[in-house]
Amino acid sequence: MSSLVLDGVNPRSRTVDPVTSVDAGRDAQLTASQGEVLSMFHARPIDGFADHELVEWGEYSGSRYTPQRIRSARAELAEKGLLEHGEGDYRKTPTGKNARVWTLASKED
């Protein structure tokens, strides 16, 4: 089992990752990819996306980001509190497994 490097810099990396992978991850366009993913959620604010649907939407819309970057950006947005997962809100993946459905976080004023 590998551990994550928790030095306060995102994206995180595993301690076994080569330095080049860590550097590449830190050079990723975090703000731009997160913005693109957030715009996808604004296009479907009620239905939301499971991760596999989000990747499909990105491919359909011509995203310049890899499926891994899209999923990571979704996780980062959830960590920031901008996306949420409703309890019991799942959709089936193409392989029949349950996948969480993420939606824009509700604003509590």
Side-chain angles (χ1 to χ4, degrees):
M1 182 172 168
S2 61
S3 62
L4 293 174
V5 175
L6 299 175
D7 60 2
V9 179
N10 277 325
R12 297 180 181 116
S13 59
R14 293 175 293 276
T15 55
V16 296
D17 286 347
V19 172
T20 53
S21 293
V22 174
D23 290 343
R26 290 184 177 163
D27 285 343
Q29 296 176 348
L30 298 179
T31 304
S33 60
Q34 290 173 7
E36 181 177 295
V37 169
L38 196 56
S39 71
M40 293 178 194
F41 278 93
H42 281 285
R44 288 178 51 172
I46 296 171
D47 295 335
F49 293 98
D51 281 354
H52 69 282
E53 296 169 330
L54 190 62
V55 168
E56 289 172 4
W57 187 282
E59 290 171 354
Y60 174 76
S61 64
S63 174
R64 64 182 182 177
Y65 299 105
T66 64
Q68 295 85 352
R69 182 69 221 133
I70 290 172
R71 287 189 300 268
S72 293
R74 194 274 310 144
E76 294 155 7
L77 292 168
E79 190 173 297
K80 290 180 176 184
L82 298 173
L83 301 175
E84 63 186 8
H85 161 65
E87 195 65 34
D89 197 4
Y90 295 91
R91 289 198 193 117
K92 296 286 185 189
T93 67
T95 59
K97 296 181 180 179
N98 285 329
R100 287 182 170 183
V101 175
W102 297 90
T103 58
L104 293 169
S106 38
K107 296 178 183 177
E108 295 181 21
D109 296 314

